[in-house]
Amino acid sequence: MSRQVIFTGALLGALGVCFGAYGAHGLKSIVSEAQVATFEVGVRYQMYHAFFLLFVGICGFFTDKVKKNITILVVLGILFFSGSIYILTLKDLISINLRFIGPITPIGGLLLIIAWLTAGIQALKNRKEIK
């Protein structure tokens, strides 16, 4: 399971770099500075959680089940939180009503919080010494 978690973290990190580059270079000419700043929030949170998954993947005191649960929470959290921010940043360029996406952002944030709490609780419950 560790390899899959590390791969997922690395993939999310690589995508975060791509989205960050797009936000820094491609978006500036088509959306406002405020929208670029909002987009960058999504990228930042995606990168934080990519690093988090790399950490979870290398930690020996998490069981495979816990690693899998944290990975699912983080992936869904990034899709809902960062993904909704990315889409809402581009809403002026898309002629579809995207109002339904707004409430998805806090759900994603909640999933990310639960992932962190899961890691913290499991670290406290584990009897192995953390080295």
Side-chain angles (χ1 to χ4, degrees):
M1 186 77 229
S2 294
R3 291 174 58 197
Q4 292 92 340
V5 175
I6 292 169
F7 173 79
T8 303
L11 180 62
L12 290 172
L15 288 171
V17 172
C18 293
F19 292 152
Y22 177 67
H25 303 289
L27 277 182
K28 288 190 177 189
S29 63
I30 57 175
V31 298
S32 71
E33 284 186 39
Q35 288 170 299
V36 171
T38 300
F39 190 88
E40 288 172 354
V41 169
V43 172
R44 189 174 333 123
Y45 275 77
Q46 181 170 336
M47 292 303 293
Y48 292 156
H49 290 88
F51 290 130
F52 177 50
L53 283 182
L54 294 175
F55 164 77
V56 168
I58 64 171
C59 283
F61 57 88
F62 291 130
T63 65
D64 282 350
K65 181 180 177 184
V66 170
K67 288 181 182 185
K68 181 179 179 181
N69 290 340
I70 290 172
T71 301
I72 290 168
L73 288 165
V74 167
V75 169
L76 290 175
I78 288 173
L79 282 173
F80 289 3
F81 184 82
S82 295
S84 65
I85 289 174
Y86 299 150
I87 292 169
L88 289 171
T89 299
L90 302 171
K91 74 178 186 275
D92 294 342
L93 306 173
I94 302 170
S95 59
I96 301 170
N97 184 352
L98 299 173
R99 263 191 258 194
F100 69 94
I101 291 180
I104 292 174
T105 309
I107 293 170
L110 181 61
L111 292 171
L112 295 171
I113 291 166
I114 293 169
W116 282 96
L117 292 174
T118 300
I121 290 166
Q122 290 304 311
L124 287 176
K125 288 170 83 173
N126 196 307
R127 299 284 181 218
K128 291 182 189 176
E129 183 62 31
I130 301 171
K131 296 179 184 179

